[in-house]
Amino acid sequence: MVQPQCVVCGEILANESLKSSKLKRHLDTKHPNVKNKPIEYFKRLNDQFKSSTNAMKMYCHNTVSAVKASYLLAYKIAKNNKPHTIGENLILPAAINRCTEILGQEAANKLKTIPASNNTVQRRIVDISENIKQQLLTILSSKSIFPFFIQLDESTNVQNKAILSVFIRYYYNKNIHGDFLYCNSLSTTTTGADIYSSLDNFFLENSIQWTNCVGVTTDGSASMTGKHVGVVRRIKEVAPDAEWTHCMLHREAFVSKKMSTELNKVLSESVKIINFIKSGALNSRLFYKLCEENEQNVKSLLLHSEVR
């Protein structure tokens, strides 16, 4: 995409800057010494700028660097779960201000060429996620044997949709890596056959070999661990070396229910108290005030949620 550029200073302008009022403001504020020049003067600058090989090389270099910086910015925004508008509204203006004070206006002008709009950040994040996905699938689908371990769970979201999530750990370059592999909604039932079929189709589409699977982690539900039609049973049929491990979080939940009567009573009462405090805004504020008066470091509680 071709962007407008000032023939006096070489700054790349946004498409919004093509408005006559903004072009006039750019000329008055940044080039007041040439604002009264005739139009022929600017035409000569334009011809010189186009014919200058060094200027074109500088433009290409700055464009590539600006795009790369834009991807780095989008990566940081996505990694920290921030809104896409934060790049254009906060990060980039703050960087320009600091650069102006420390390195000067010329260096700050280079930062202004970095694309950081809401839509641009969204496109960059999609490109980055697709690239990461392709890198992972390339490793897993290669002919070399890379043993991997999958962890899967089926849960229902707030819209009552059944979501299957799969994480993977694999051995590559003498190190163990962990990544998010796959997520898909189950349209109707959530039986072992449905879960395995969804996962198996993904493996077939991306040429991932089940024989490289050496372990599976799930919860203890019947659809996962059923003796005859469970997901683990079906995976072991195509991956005989795979070992099943029960999810640690679910094991802790089960242990809490099987503890002694005395400890279970204490835990139950604690959960009731916590939920009573968190269920009302006034209760939470009173609890905060109580902790503050007693000089406690922790002044808020987490709402207890039971594992399904």
PDB file of all heavy atoms in Angstrom, residues 8-37:
ATOM      1  N   VAL A   8       9.470  17.518   1.581  1.00  0.00           N
ATOM      2  CA  VAL A   8      10.414  18.411   2.261  1.00  0.00           C
ATOM      3  C   VAL A   8      11.212  17.653   3.313  1.00  0.00           C
ATOM      4  O   VAL A   8      12.445  17.704   3.338  1.00  0.00           O
ATOM      5  CB  VAL A   8       9.679  19.604   2.896  1.00  0.00           C
ATOM      6  CG1 VAL A   8      10.676  20.524   3.604  1.00  0.00           C
ATOM      7  CG2 VAL A   8       8.888  20.373   1.852  1.00  0.00           C
ATOM      8  N   CYS A   9      10.498  16.933   4.209  1.00  0.00           N
ATOM      9  CA  CYS A   9      11.174  16.232   5.309  1.00  0.00           C
ATOM     10  C   CYS A   9      11.215  14.726   5.124  1.00  0.00           C
ATOM     11  O   CYS A   9      11.898  14.018   5.867  1.00  0.00           O
ATOM     12  CB  CYS A   9      10.506  16.569   6.641  1.00  0.00           C
ATOM     13  SG  CYS A   9       8.784  16.038   6.765  1.00  0.00           S
ATOM     14  N   GLY A  10      10.448  14.185   4.175  1.00  0.00           N
ATOM     15  CA  GLY A  10      10.438  12.745   3.936  1.00  0.00           C
ATOM     16  C   GLY A  10       9.553  11.972   4.881  1.00  0.00           C
ATOM     17  O   GLY A  10       9.536  10.734   4.840  1.00  0.00           O
ATOM     18  N   GLU A  11       8.792  12.646   5.749  1.00  0.00           N
ATOM     19  CA  GLU A  11       7.934  11.949   6.707  1.00  0.00           C
ATOM     20  C   GLU A  11       6.766  11.274   5.984  1.00  0.00           C
ATOM     21  O   GLU A  11       6.132  11.863   5.107  1.00  0.00           O
ATOM     22  CB  GLU A  11       7.392  12.934   7.739  1.00  0.00           C
ATOM     23  CG  GLU A  11       6.456  12.281   8.757  1.00  0.00           C
ATOM     24  CD  GLU A  11       5.897  13.286   9.746  1.00  0.00           C
ATOM     25  OE1 GLU A  11       6.413  14.425   9.795  1.00  0.00           O
ATOM     26  OE2 GLU A  11       4.930  12.942  10.458  1.00  0.00           O
ATOM     27  N   ILE A  12       6.495  10.021   6.363  1.00  0.00           N
ATOM     28  CA  ILE A  12       5.358   9.291   5.805  1.00  0.00           C
ATOM     29  C   ILE A  12       4.118   9.674   6.597  1.00  0.00           C
ATOM     30  O   ILE A  12       4.088   9.545   7.819  1.00  0.00           O
ATOM     31  CB  ILE A  12       5.598   7.777   5.866  1.00  0.00           C
ATOM     32  CG1 ILE A  12       6.836   7.409   5.029  1.00  0.00           C
ATOM     33  CG2 ILE A  12       4.378   7.011   5.353  1.00  0.00           C
ATOM     34  CD1 ILE A  12       7.227   5.957   5.112  1.00  0.00           C
ATOM     35  N   LEU A  13       3.099  10.134   5.902  1.00  0.00           N
ATOM     36  CA  LEU A  13       1.887  10.634   6.543  1.00  0.00           C
ATOM     37  C   LEU A  13       0.776   9.602   6.468  1.00  0.00           C
ATOM     38  O   LEU A  13       0.773   8.714   5.598  1.00  0.00           O
ATOM     39  CB  LEU A  13       1.430  11.934   5.864  1.00  0.00           C
ATOM     40  CG  LEU A  13       2.491  13.036   5.739  1.00  0.00           C
ATOM     41  CD1 LEU A  13       1.943  14.192   4.924  1.00  0.00           C
ATOM     42  CD2 LEU A  13       2.941  13.508   7.111  1.00  0.00           C
ATOM     43  N   ALA A  14      -0.173   9.718   7.378  1.00  0.00           N
ATOM     44  CA  ALA A  14      -1.350   8.852   7.354  1.00  0.00           C
ATOM     45  C   ALA A  14      -2.291   9.309   6.248  1.00  0.00           C
ATOM     46  O   ALA A  14      -2.257  10.473   5.801  1.00  0.00           O
ATOM     47  CB  ALA A  14      -2.056   8.894   8.704  1.00  0.00           C
ATOM     48  N   ASN A  15      -3.149   8.397   5.790  1.00  0.00           N
ATOM     49  CA  ASN A  15      -4.104   8.751   4.741  1.00  0.00           C
ATOM     50  C   ASN A  15      -5.019   9.881   5.187  1.00  0.00           C
ATOM     51  O   ASN A  15      -5.477  10.684   4.382  1.00  0.00           O
ATOM     52  CB  ASN A  15      -4.936   7.521   4.365  1.00  0.00           C
ATOM     53  CG  ASN A  15      -4.105   6.488   3.626  1.00  0.00           C
ATOM     54  OD1 ASN A  15      -3.168   6.831   2.917  1.00  0.00           O
ATOM     55  ND2 ASN A  15      -4.440   5.217   3.797  1.00  0.00           N
ATOM     56  N   GLU A  16      -5.274   9.943   6.494  1.00  0.00           N
ATOM     57  CA  GLU A  16      -6.119  11.001   7.036  1.00  0.00           C
ATOM     58  C   GLU A  16      -5.484  12.380   6.844  1.00  0.00           C
ATOM     59  O   GLU A  16      -6.178  13.390   6.780  1.00  0.00           O
ATOM     60  CB  GLU A  16      -6.368  10.724   8.525  1.00  0.00           C
ATOM     61  CG  GLU A  16      -7.387  11.637   9.187  1.00  0.00           C
ATOM     62  CD  GLU A  16      -8.811  11.363   8.745  1.00  0.00           C
ATOM     63  OE1 GLU A  16      -9.048  10.307   8.128  1.00  0.00           O
ATOM     64  OE2 GLU A  16      -9.677  12.205   9.012  1.00  0.00           O
ATOM     65  N   SER A  17      -4.155  12.414   6.695  1.00  0.00           N
ATOM     66  CA  SER A  17      -3.440  13.683   6.566  1.00  0.00           C
ATOM     67  C   SER A  17      -3.578  14.309   5.187  1.00  0.00           C
ATOM     68  O   SER A  17      -3.069  15.402   4.954  1.00  0.00           O
ATOM     69  CB  SER A  17      -1.951  13.478   6.883  1.00  0.00           C
ATOM     70  OG  SER A  17      -1.783  12.987   8.194  1.00  0.00           O
ATOM     71  N   LEU A  18      -4.228  13.604   4.248  1.00  0.00           N
ATOM     72  CA  LEU A  18      -4.393  14.148   2.911  1.00  0.00           C
ATOM     73  C   LEU A  18      -5.441  15.262   2.850  1.00  0.00           C
ATOM     74  O   LEU A  18      -5.593  15.908   1.819  1.00  0.00           O
ATOM     75  CB  LEU A  18      -4.781  13.031   1.933  1.00  0.00           C
ATOM     76  CG  LEU A  18      -3.656  12.031   1.598  1.00  0.00           C
ATOM     77  CD1 LEU A  18      -4.177  10.932   0.704  1.00  0.00           C
ATOM     78  CD2 LEU A  18      -2.494  12.737   0.934  1.00  0.00           C
ATOM     79  N   LYS A  19      -6.165  15.464   3.932  1.00  0.00           N
ATOM     80  CA  LYS A  19      -7.102  16.578   3.971  1.00  0.00           C
ATOM     81  C   LYS A  19      -6.321  17.894   3.878  1.00  0.00           C
ATOM     82  O   LYS A  19      -5.246  18.031   4.469  1.00  0.00           O
ATOM     83  CB  LYS A  19      -7.919  16.544   5.261  1.00  0.00           C
ATOM     84  CG  LYS A  19      -8.844  15.343   5.362  1.00  0.00           C
ATOM     85  CD  LYS A  19      -9.623  15.366   6.662  1.00  0.00           C
ATOM     86  CE  LYS A  19     -10.571  14.177   6.754  1.00  0.00           C
ATOM     87  NZ  LYS A  19     -11.329  14.158   8.022  1.00  0.00           N
ATOM     88  N   SER A  20      -6.883  18.826   3.118  1.00  0.00           N
ATOM     89  CA  SER A  20      -6.167  20.085   2.867  1.00  0.00           C
ATOM     90  C   SER A  20      -5.826  20.825   4.154  1.00  0.00           C
ATOM     91  O   SER A  20      -4.745  21.421   4.281  1.00  0.00           O
ATOM     92  CB  SER A  20      -7.012  20.980   1.959  1.00  0.00           C
ATOM     93  OG  SER A  20      -8.284  21.219   2.539  1.00  0.00           O
ATOM     94  N   SER A  21      -6.731  20.772   5.136  1.00  0.00           N
ATOM     95  CA  SER A  21      -6.467  21.467   6.398  1.00  0.00           C
ATOM     96  C   SER A  21      -5.278  20.859   7.137  1.00  0.00           C
ATOM     97  O   SER A  21      -4.451  21.583   7.714  1.00  0.00           O
ATOM     98  CB  SER A  21      -7.713  21.424   7.282  1.00  0.00           C
ATOM     99  OG  SER A  21      -8.084  20.079   7.563  1.00  0.00           O
ATOM    100  N   LYS A  22      -5.171  19.525   7.101  1.00  0.00           N
ATOM    101  CA  LYS A  22      -4.065  18.867   7.800  1.00  0.00           C
ATOM    102  C   LYS A  22      -2.749  19.030   7.040  1.00  0.00           C
ATOM    103  O   LYS A  22      -1.679  19.115   7.649  1.00  0.00           O
ATOM    104  CB  LYS A  22      -4.396  17.398   8.026  1.00  0.00           C
ATOM    105  CG  LYS A  22      -5.568  17.198   8.983  1.00  0.00           C
ATOM    106  CD  LYS A  22      -5.719  15.755   9.384  1.00  0.00           C
ATOM    107  CE  LYS A  22      -6.838  15.608  10.430  1.00  0.00           C
ATOM    108  NZ  LYS A  22      -7.005  14.229  10.898  1.00  0.00           N
ATOM    109  N   LEU A  23      -2.820  19.051   5.721  1.00  0.00           N
ATOM    110  CA  LEU A  23      -1.599  19.301   4.950  1.00  0.00           C
ATOM    111  C   LEU A  23      -1.069  20.708   5.217  1.00  0.00           C
ATOM    112  O   LEU A  23       0.138  20.925   5.351  1.00  0.00           O
ATOM    113  CB  LEU A  23      -1.892  19.124   3.464  1.00  0.00           C
ATOM    114  CG  LEU A  23      -2.119  17.683   2.971  1.00  0.00           C
ATOM    115  CD1 LEU A  23      -2.536  17.683   1.506  1.00  0.00           C
ATOM    116  CD2 LEU A  23      -0.868  16.836   3.162  1.00  0.00           C
ATOM    117  N   LYS A  24      -1.979  21.659   5.300  1.00  0.00           N
ATOM    118  CA  LYS A  24      -1.586  23.043   5.585  1.00  0.00           C
ATOM    119  C   LYS A  24      -0.983  23.159   6.982  1.00  0.00           C
ATOM    120  O   LYS A  24       0.021  23.856   7.192  1.00  0.00           O
ATOM    121  CB  LYS A  24      -2.790  23.962   5.443  1.00  0.00           C
ATOM    122  CG  LYS A  24      -2.451  25.455   5.575  1.00  0.00           C
ATOM    123  CD  LYS A  24      -3.682  26.300   5.336  1.00  0.00           C
ATOM    124  CE  LYS A  24      -3.322  27.790   5.375  1.00  0.00           C
ATOM    125  NZ  LYS A  24      -2.700  28.199   6.630  1.00  0.00           N
ATOM    126  N   ARG A  25      -1.576  22.438   7.951  1.00  0.00           N
ATOM    127  CA  ARG A  25      -1.039  22.481   9.313  1.00  0.00           C
ATOM    128  C   ARG A  25       0.357  21.880   9.368  1.00  0.00           C
ATOM    129  O   ARG A  25       1.239  22.367  10.084  1.00  0.00           O
ATOM    130  CB  ARG A  25      -1.985  21.736  10.272  1.00  0.00           C
ATOM    131  CG  ARG A  25      -1.569  21.832  11.728  1.00  0.00           C
ATOM    132  CD  ARG A  25      -2.596  21.210  12.627  1.00  0.00           C
ATOM    133  NE  ARG A  25      -2.736  19.785  12.384  1.00  0.00           N
ATOM    134  CZ  ARG A  25      -3.611  19.007  13.012  1.00  0.00           C
ATOM    135  NH1 ARG A  25      -4.432  19.531  13.907  1.00  0.00           N
ATOM    136  NH2 ARG A  25      -3.685  17.714  12.734  1.00  0.00           N
ATOM    137  N   HIS A  26       0.570  20.759   8.629  1.00  0.00           N
ATOM    138  CA  HIS A  26       1.902  20.140   8.583  1.00  0.00           C
ATOM    139  C   HIS A  26       2.932  21.122   8.012  1.00  0.00           C
ATOM    140  O   HIS A  26       4.051  21.245   8.534  1.00  0.00           O
ATOM    141  CB  HIS A  26       1.840  18.874   7.724  1.00  0.00           C
ATOM    142  CG  HIS A  26       3.185  18.218   7.539  1.00  0.00           C
ATOM    143  ND1 HIS A  26       3.729  17.350   8.456  1.00  0.00           N
ATOM    144  CD2 HIS A  26       4.107  18.322   6.545  1.00  0.00           C
ATOM    145  CE1 HIS A  26       4.910  16.941   8.045  1.00  0.00           C
ATOM    146  NE2 HIS A  26       5.157  17.512   6.882  1.00  0.00           N
ATOM    147  N   LEU A  27       2.533  21.842   6.943  1.00  0.00           N
ATOM    148  CA  LEU A  27       3.454  22.793   6.332  1.00  0.00           C
ATOM    149  C   LEU A  27       3.729  23.971   7.247  1.00  0.00           C
ATOM    150  O   LEU A  27       4.885  24.425   7.391  1.00  0.00           O
ATOM    151  CB  LEU A  27       2.864  23.282   5.001  1.00  0.00           C
ATOM    152  CG  LEU A  27       3.725  24.238   4.174  1.00  0.00           C
ATOM    153  CD1 LEU A  27       5.003  23.552   3.728  1.00  0.00           C
ATOM    154  CD2 LEU A  27       2.948  24.747   2.967  1.00  0.00           C
ATOM    155  N   ASP A  28       2.692  24.473   7.929  1.00  0.00           N
ATOM    156  CA  ASP A  28       2.867  25.660   8.785  1.00  0.00           C
ATOM    157  C   ASP A  28       3.671  25.349  10.040  1.00  0.00           C
ATOM    158  O   ASP A  28       4.462  26.184  10.505  1.00  0.00           O
ATOM    159  CB  ASP A  28       1.493  26.224   9.184  1.00  0.00           C
ATOM    160  CG  ASP A  28       0.753  26.812   7.989  1.00  0.00           C
ATOM    161  OD1 ASP A  28       1.411  27.112   6.982  1.00  0.00           O
ATOM    162  OD2 ASP A  28      -0.496  26.933   8.069  1.00  0.00           O
ATOM    163  N   THR A  29       3.478  24.179  10.620  1.00  0.00           N
ATOM    164  CA  THR A  29       4.129  23.857  11.891  1.00  0.00           C
ATOM    165  C   THR A  29       5.543  23.304  11.712  1.00  0.00           C
ATOM    166  O   THR A  29       6.427  23.581  12.526  1.00  0.00           O
ATOM    167  CB  THR A  29       3.286  22.853  12.676  1.00  0.00           C
ATOM    168  OG1 THR A  29       3.062  21.683  11.862  1.00  0.00           O
ATOM    169  CG2 THR A  29       1.945  23.437  13.064  1.00  0.00           C
ATOM    170  N   LYS A  30       5.772  22.516  10.655  1.00  0.00           N
ATOM    171  CA  LYS A  30       7.065  21.843  10.504  1.00  0.00           C
ATOM    172  C   LYS A  30       7.970  22.502   9.448  1.00  0.00           C
ATOM    173  O   LYS A  30       9.188  22.304   9.474  1.00  0.00           O
ATOM    174  CB  LYS A  30       6.847  20.372  10.156  1.00  0.00           C
ATOM    175  CG  LYS A  30       6.150  19.609  11.277  1.00  0.00           C
ATOM    176  CD  LYS A  30       6.217  18.116  11.058  1.00  0.00           C
ATOM    177  CE  LYS A  30       5.614  17.381  12.259  1.00  0.00           C
ATOM    178  NZ  LYS A  30       5.705  15.913  12.109  1.00  0.00           N
ATOM    179  N   HIS A  31       7.387  23.237   8.523  1.00  0.00           N
ATOM    180  CA  HIS A  31       8.202  23.861   7.475  1.00  0.00           C
ATOM    181  C   HIS A  31       7.771  25.316   7.260  1.00  0.00           C
ATOM    182  O   HIS A  31       7.417  25.707   6.140  1.00  0.00           O
ATOM    183  CB  HIS A  31       8.080  23.081   6.156  1.00  0.00           C
ATOM    184  CG  HIS A  31       8.261  21.603   6.309  1.00  0.00           C
ATOM    185  ND1 HIS A  31       9.454  21.037   6.685  1.00  0.00           N
ATOM    186  CD2 HIS A  31       7.376  20.577   6.174  1.00  0.00           C
ATOM    187  CE1 HIS A  31       9.316  19.716   6.745  1.00  0.00           C
ATOM    188  NE2 HIS A  31       8.051  19.419   6.450  1.00  0.00           N
ATOM    189  N   PRO A  32       7.787  26.119   8.313  1.00  0.00           N
ATOM    190  CA  PRO A  32       7.338  27.514   8.145  1.00  0.00           C
ATOM    191  C   PRO A  32       8.252  28.318   7.225  1.00  0.00           C
ATOM    192  O   PRO A  32       7.830  29.314   6.632  1.00  0.00           O
ATOM    193  CB  PRO A  32       7.371  28.057   9.578  1.00  0.00           C
ATOM    194  CG  PRO A  32       8.354  27.195  10.297  1.00  0.00           C
ATOM    195  CD  PRO A  32       8.222  25.841   9.680  1.00  0.00           C
ATOM    196  N   ASN A  33       9.511  27.895   7.067  1.00  0.00           N
ATOM    197  CA  ASN A  33      10.451  28.651   6.238  1.00  0.00           C
ATOM    198  C   ASN A  33      10.186  28.491   4.744  1.00  0.00           C
ATOM    199  O   ASN A  33      10.693  29.282   3.937  1.00  0.00           O
ATOM    200  CB  ASN A  33      11.886  28.221   6.546  1.00  0.00           C
ATOM    201  CG  ASN A  33      12.090  26.729   6.371  1.00  0.00           C
ATOM    202  OD1 ASN A  33      11.194  25.946   6.692  1.00  0.00           O
ATOM    203  ND2 ASN A  33      13.247  26.328   5.897  1.00  0.00           N
ATOM    204  N   VAL A  34       9.397  27.488   4.349  1.00  0.00           N
ATOM    205  CA  VAL A  34       9.133  27.283   2.914  1.00  0.00           C
ATOM    206  C   VAL A  34       7.645  27.392   2.581  1.00  0.00           C
ATOM    207  O   VAL A  34       7.258  27.115   1.449  1.00  0.00           O
ATOM    208  CB  VAL A  34       9.659  25.904   2.454  1.00  0.00           C
ATOM    209  CG1 VAL A  34      11.158  25.810   2.646  1.00  0.00           C
ATOM    210  CG2 VAL A  34       8.948  24.781   3.189  1.00  0.00           C
ATOM    211  N   LYS A  35       6.826  27.772   3.545  1.00  0.00           N
ATOM    212  CA  LYS A  35       5.386  27.771   3.305  1.00  0.00           C
ATOM    213  C   LYS A  35       4.955  28.831   2.291  1.00  0.00           C
ATOM    214  O   LYS A  35       3.894  28.713   1.682  1.00  0.00           O
ATOM    215  CB  LYS A  35       4.635  27.948   4.619  1.00  0.00           C
ATOM    216  CG  LYS A  35       4.811  29.311   5.273  1.00  0.00           C
ATOM    217  CD  LYS A  35       3.980  29.395   6.542  1.00  0.00           C
ATOM    218  CE  LYS A  35       4.098  30.772   7.191  1.00  0.00           C
ATOM    219  NZ  LYS A  35       3.248  30.861   8.415  1.00  0.00           N
ATOM    220  N   ASN A  36       5.798  29.859   2.089  1.00  0.00           N
ATOM    221  CA  ASN A  36       5.453  30.906   1.135  1.00  0.00           C
ATOM    222  C   ASN A  36       6.099  30.689  -0.230  1.00  0.00           C
ATOM    223  O   ASN A  36       6.011  31.561  -1.109  1.00  0.00           O
ATOM    224  CB  ASN A  36       5.852  32.279   1.684  1.00  0.00           C
ATOM    225  CG  ASN A  36       5.051  32.651   2.934  1.00  0.00           C
ATOM    226  OD1 ASN A  36       3.862  32.346   3.011  1.00  0.00           O
ATOM    227  ND2 ASN A  36       5.709  33.283   3.889  1.00  0.00           N
ATOM    228  N   LYS A  37       6.759  29.550  -0.412  1.00  0.00           N
ATOM    229  CA  LYS A  37       7.406  29.256  -1.690  1.00  0.00           C
ATOM    230  C   LYS A  37       6.344  28.990  -2.754  1.00  0.00           C
ATOM    231  O   LYS A  37       5.256  28.487  -2.458  1.00  0.00           O
ATOM    232  CB  LYS A  37       8.314  28.040  -1.551  1.00  0.00           C
ATOM    233  CG  LYS A  37       9.490  28.224  -0.603  1.00  0.00           C
ATOM    234  CD  LYS A  37      10.585  29.074  -1.229  1.00  0.00           C
ATOM    235  CE  LYS A  37      11.819  29.133  -0.321  1.00  0.00           C
ATOM    236  NZ  LYS A  37      12.897  29.940  -0.921  1.00  0.00           N
TER     237      LYS A  37
END
